[in-house]
Amino acid sequence: MKPWKMKRTEKDALMSHGPRMEEVYNSIEIHHRITRGVHRDVETAIAVARKFNNEVLRPMYLERDLKHMEDHEFLSRDIIKKAGEWRFFTLFVPKLFGGQNLHFMALYPFIEEISSVCSGLGHLIFVHYLGAATVFPTMNMRVLQTIMRDVARSERRGEPHLIDLTITEPDAGSDAQEPLLINRGRMTSTMEKVKGGYILNSRKVFISNSRLSYWHLIHSWEDKNDRASSLTQFVIPNGTKGLSFGACEKKMGTLGSTADEVICEDVFVPDRWVSLRALDPFFKNSKKGSKWAVHSVMDFVVSASRAGVGAIGTGIARGAYEIAMDYARRKRVDGELLVNHQWAQIILTDMFRNVCMTRNVYMESVYADLLAGVFKVLYKKPIHYYMKFMPKWFFTLILPLLKSRLVTYIFRKYYYDWYTNEERNITSGWASFAKYTCSDFGLVNANMALDLMGADGLRHDAGAEKCFRDVKLQQIYESTNQVNQMNAFFCMVGNRHPEVEYFT
Amino acid sequence: MNAINVDSMAAERQAFADLARDISLKKLVEHREENDRYPFGPIFEDAIRDAGIVGFYGVNLPEEQGGVGMNAGMVSVILEKISEVDASLAGVIFSNAAALEIINAAMASTGDTGIYSEIKTLGTAPIAFPMYASPDEISPAMLSKDESRIFYATIRNCALGNIADYAVVPIRRKENQPYSYYLVDLKDKGVTISRPIVSLGLHGCPMVDITIDKVPSRVIGKSGEGKKYFSAMSDRMAVCAAAMSLGIMRGSFQDAMQYTSDRYQGGRQIIDWGQVRMMLANMAIEMKIAESCVAMACQQMDCCVCGWEKTAQAAAIHIGEMATRSCTDGVQLFGGNGYMKDYPQEKRMRDARHAQSLLGMVPLRKIQYISRIIEECE
Ligand SMILES: Cc1cc2nc3c(=O)[nH]c(=O)nc-3n(C[C@H](O)[C@H](O)[C@H](O)COP(=O)(O)OP(=O)(O)OC[C@H]3O[C@@H](n4cnc5c(N)ncnc54)[C@H](O)[C@@H]3O)c2cc1C
């Protein structure tokens, strides 16, 4: 008898009980899909970030943080310009859209690196990509092409046009971002169909980078009795009549980026700038319907972005560790170097462990995204090679084809009609895990650094207190950690059990 | 039950608590955000002065020296109340009380009261004191042979160094040698004071670095006995540190209760979501535990119960940690608003974490705590 030998059917039956491979072993699942070139891209991204940190960020980030504290309205346009010179706003954009074509997977370790020195800049760059990742799942190739090529051109000109994502309203934070809660929300934004477009009225708050951005992706809802099925995404460039910025929030940390009020007063948005309309007949008449489309598009976005928050949290955890380590190697306590006290060694080891552990979590989420999330099509091997090796002129040539309705139709079929519940749950669930685990441990590390550094840690010039202030944000935005826990419960825990209800 | 009503001095305690609440409401609530802008805005001079006028800088000063003659337990009552609103002023009072405790301890061992008369502003203006560092961390200095002059010394992170007239500072000649406390006249021309250090919290109670260059000095108590005085001060002031953390926690909890009742998400008041309730419950439980610990520590200290010092130190360390945790949740319950300076929660989170470092780095205090127990066992 050889009990370890079994038939495929028996194995499949066993594998379907308990966590399935594709649910919890993303790193194994991705293994055979990523090419050697991806490894090189990740390495390049990390090296570039380290070089930037050494040459640009380290010498000035603390002084800049002070400047922001002194004047909350101060904008770091020069740093954006500098980051643009290093092509940071198109580094991970495919050649197809005029970018530098590093693999999107490399974005996350890149953000960790930048955030290990200054999470304000990490946040600023990441939010821009979040904007890009918000247009992408609409599969509106025309809008995507126009925005991304403008970003590339403006970056080359030395005035990068950033993208923001504008959802939160004064009375709807968690509700506006969580598909299961949208219909209970007290959103006040309104949109009205007029000839050739829409009239948008809205007041949005806490919008990252908005006064530093050029392209504003604004969410509104067409049917106030069923917002969960009627999300509409508008693309509004700066200079549009009726668009203005209100208060610039006075934040505790992450001061390198802003959080602003974005006001639309009777803004006319032409139809061509509506990147997604869930009540569009394509979605409405499709098998899965508009509600599915809204839930999926929101999950595509937050799955990409919450992994990024994980990378920022990990970066801060690492920054805190590096600052504490450096301090412990110089500081004498009781006549001995701090790093030679055993209790300090254990604190430092725990901090390092936390960094390694959180990195694994956010990378699992990134893998899930590449396997089953918003970027899954780009990383099918043939498409990946195609995008990598075809020359730039080729993509310019096929541009008109890409902008056609047919391409949008095919992509939407692929991304919405053929998208499965399982795929959505895995990407969204892991993204929530990444978001709340990394931010929680980021805070743990910031606290440990402060513990170890005593009075010196409280000083701004030591850097550790900045980690503490900055990391708190990671627990709040992209839906609070608590709402993310609920989402993870919905996607990964409760989903197998029919009797489970959510937000009751 | 809290630090206010644990003993026969309940009436006095209540009176101080009422006074502290009064000052907080009148002087601190309205300008909390503005006051927190220091050093990018003005310091709250009025509040610092008023605290002196009502006698908060003389609570633990002996009656013979013009003080109230109470112990650190009474100071803790004031600190707890003020910290509910703005812990920065509590930090100012803490610094002064800690400096006085060093002097009181020295006086108790030598009987020499001369040092009090050297402080011209005694009891009316706060004294500067490096209240975050344990002297195990201080760097060596150069002194004249008879110790009447400090040739060179640097004192890092000294609270109130830029607004006080006098500082009580620890100084040692060499690493690993015993140290002494000195009274330094901060107006002396040999004293150089750095610009206020931008710090995590307690912005209204600024820290500075002080450089002392050929300054006449007066040793407090016996030379080389600094450790003894520090230990006595630290035990007593541990109750105050715990009370400050408790006050900050309570402020955060009360505002979180209010906000979660006012805010609607998901079609109901957020206080009606189980997750929100759980967080509030954790805050409430930690606050209750903190109240009991502070009350117990005060009571034991007042009655000189054997081992009260350990109770006080344990309370300070534990409540400090709880307060940071609790105030972090206090921010979380406000969502995005919690992260903004227009609301009081982010300041509380910073202040709580800042206050956790009072009396020295946390792990070192834990090591010292267990060393004490081990010594007793031996
Ligand atoms: C600096 C900063 C930058 C930001 N950037 C952006 C941006 O670029 N774009 C954008 O659109 N938004 C942005 N936000 C908004 C952010 O996403 C929201 O703040 C966040 O989603 C929380 O919403 P809220 O602030 O309204 O909190 P609320 O939703 O009011 O939450 C308050 C508390 O209630 C809890 N809660 C709420 N609902 C439930 C529920 N159903 N069950 C259990 N608990 C619940 C929450 O966990 C939280 O503890 C930003 C916020 C900040 C602070």
Side-chain angles (χ1 to χ4, degrees), chain B residues 83-84 87 243-252 327 348 351-352 355:
Chain B
S83 300
E84 282 177 26
M244 257 175 89
S245 297
L246 167 60
I248 303 171
M249 259 169 120
R250 186 178 298 118
S252 180
C327 292
R348 292 203 174 102
D351 285 351

Side-chain angles (χ1 to χ4, degrees), chain A residues 70 170-171 173-175 184 206 250 252-254 447 451 456 458-460 469 472 475 482 485, chain B residues 33 37 156-157 197-200 209 263-266 273 275 328 332 337 339 341 346 353 361 363:
Chain A
E70 187 172 0
D171 292 325
S174 302
D175 289 353
R184 307 188 198 176
F206 301 151
K250 290 171 276 176
M252 167 161 70
T254 322
N447 263 312
D451 277 351
D456 288 333
L458 303 174
R459 302 166 66 109
H460 180 272
R469 286 183 289 114
K472 181 65 206 159
Q475 296 187 317
Q482 290 65 34
Q485 284 172 318
Chain B
E33 189 196 331
R37 275 195 57 71
R156 273 171 75 78
N157 311 316
I197 294 162
V198 178
S199 60
L200 174 61
D209 294 335
R263 174 87 176 159
Y264 277 77
Q265 284 297 286
W273 286 110
Q275 222 172 16
T328 304
Q332 194 71 7
N337 282 333
Y339 200 66
K341 294 196 173 288
E346 66 84 35
R353 179 59 247 197
M361 63 167 72

Side-chain angles (χ1 to χ4, degrees), chain A residues 63-258:
Chain A
E63 190 193 312
R64 190 48 69 96
D65 193 58
L66 277 185
K67 180 108 186 107
H68 286 293
M69 270 185 195
E70 187 172 0
D71 176 6
H72 272 269
E73 307 259 320
F74 176 78
L75 303 176
S76 280
R77 289 200 193 276
D78 55 334
I79 298 191
I80 296 180
K81 200 172 154 70
K82 197 79 193 160
E85 284 167 18
W86 287 58
R87 298 291 181 265
F88 283 177
F89 301 108
T90 54
L91 205 54
F92 305 94
V93 173
K95 222 185 311 179
L96 168 68
F97 304 123
Q100 316 303 318
N101 215 25
L102 282 193
H103 196 288
F104 204 75
M105 186 202 278
L107 168 67
Y108 295 86
F110 173 85
I111 292 293
E112 180 199 317
E113 287 297 327
I114 299 282
S115 303
S116 71
V117 176
C118 177
S119 72
L121 184 64
H123 176 78
L124 188 141
I125 297 172
F126 190 75
V127 167
H128 164 74
Y129 281 100
L130 165 62
T134 307
V135 202
F136 191 79
T138 67
M139 292 302 144
N140 190 326
M141 288 297 161
R142 189 181 43 75
V143 172
L144 190 57
Q145 281 281 350
T146 314
I147 296 181
M148 294 322 295
R149 285 190 173 257
D150 173 69
V151 170
R153 263 195 315 271
S154 60
E155 192 179 53
R156 281 197 298 274
R157 264 201 328 268
E159 296 157 359
H161 283 176
L162 309 191
I163 313 169
D164 69 25
L165 175 58
T166 307
I167 303 178
T168 306
E169 299 191 2
D171 292 325
S174 302
D175 289 353
Q177 300 199 356
E178 175 48 58
L180 299 177
L181 293 171
I182 291 186
N183 270 350
R184 307 188 198 176
R186 299 177 163 199
M187 293 77 137
T188 53
S189 75
T190 59
M191 50 185 281
E192 188 193 334
K193 182 71 188 132
V194 292
K195 191 164 172 271
Y198 289 86
I199 298 287
L200 177 66
N201 278 288
S202 69
R203 191 178 148 228
K204 304 283 187 176
V205 288
F206 301 151
I207 307 307
S208 298
N209 296 348
S210 64
R211 67 184 65 221
L212 294 162
S213 298
Y214 181 83
W215 295 102
H216 311 283
L217 300 181
I218 302 189
H219 279 193
S220 188
W221 300 267
E222 206 164 340
D223 179 356
K224 67 173 193 292
N225 296 316
D226 186 12
R227 292 191 173 96
S229 306
S230 64
L231 173 73
T232 306
Q233 184 175 293
F234 295 99
V235 178
I236 302 182
N238 265 357
T240 303
K241 197 166 160 225
L243 171 77
S244 62
F245 305 105
C248 173
E249 293 290 351
K250 290 171 276 176
K251 294 180 286 157
M252 167 161 70
T254 322
L255 300 176
S257 75
T258 61

Side-chain angles (χ1 to χ4, degrees), chain B residues 1-9 13 71-80 235-244 246 290-305 307-313 315-316 319:
Chain B
M1 184 160 95
N2 53 23
I4 297 168
N5 47 10
V6 290
D7 63 359
S8 55
M9 310 268 282
R13 284 172 187 267
N71 67 6
M74 196 62 83
V75 181
S76 75
V77 173
I78 298 165
L79 299 185
E80 185 184 321
D235 289 341
R236 289 176 179 280
M237 291 307 292
V239 177
C240 295
M244 257 175 89
L246 167 60
E291 283 175 359
S292 319
C293 289
V294 170
M296 167 80 85
C298 280
Q299 200 171 30
Q300 289 193 359
M301 182 168 73
D302 284 352
C303 305
C304 290
V305 172
W308 69 266
E309 300 90 343
K310 286 199 295 273
T311 311
Q313 292 286 2
I319 297 172

Side-chain angles (χ1 to χ4, degrees), chain B residues 79-144:
Chain B
L79 299 185
E80 185 184 321
K81 276 289 150 220
I82 290 179
S83 300
E84 282 177 26
V85 177
D86 184 345
S88 289
L89 185 61
V92 174
I93 299 167
F94 186 100
S95 164
N96 177 74
L100 288 181
E101 284 298 329
I102 294 278
I103 300 174
N104 292 347
M107 192 206 61
S109 78
T110 60
D112 172 18
T113 56
I115 197 89
Y116 292 113
S117 52
E118 296 217 0
I119 307 172
K120 307 275 180 301
T121 51
L122 192 67
T124 55
I127 304 171
F129 186 69
M131 61 188 184
Y132 304 104
S134 114
D136 292 321
E137 304 166 52
I138 56 176
S139 28
M142 276 157 57
L143 290 162
S144 64

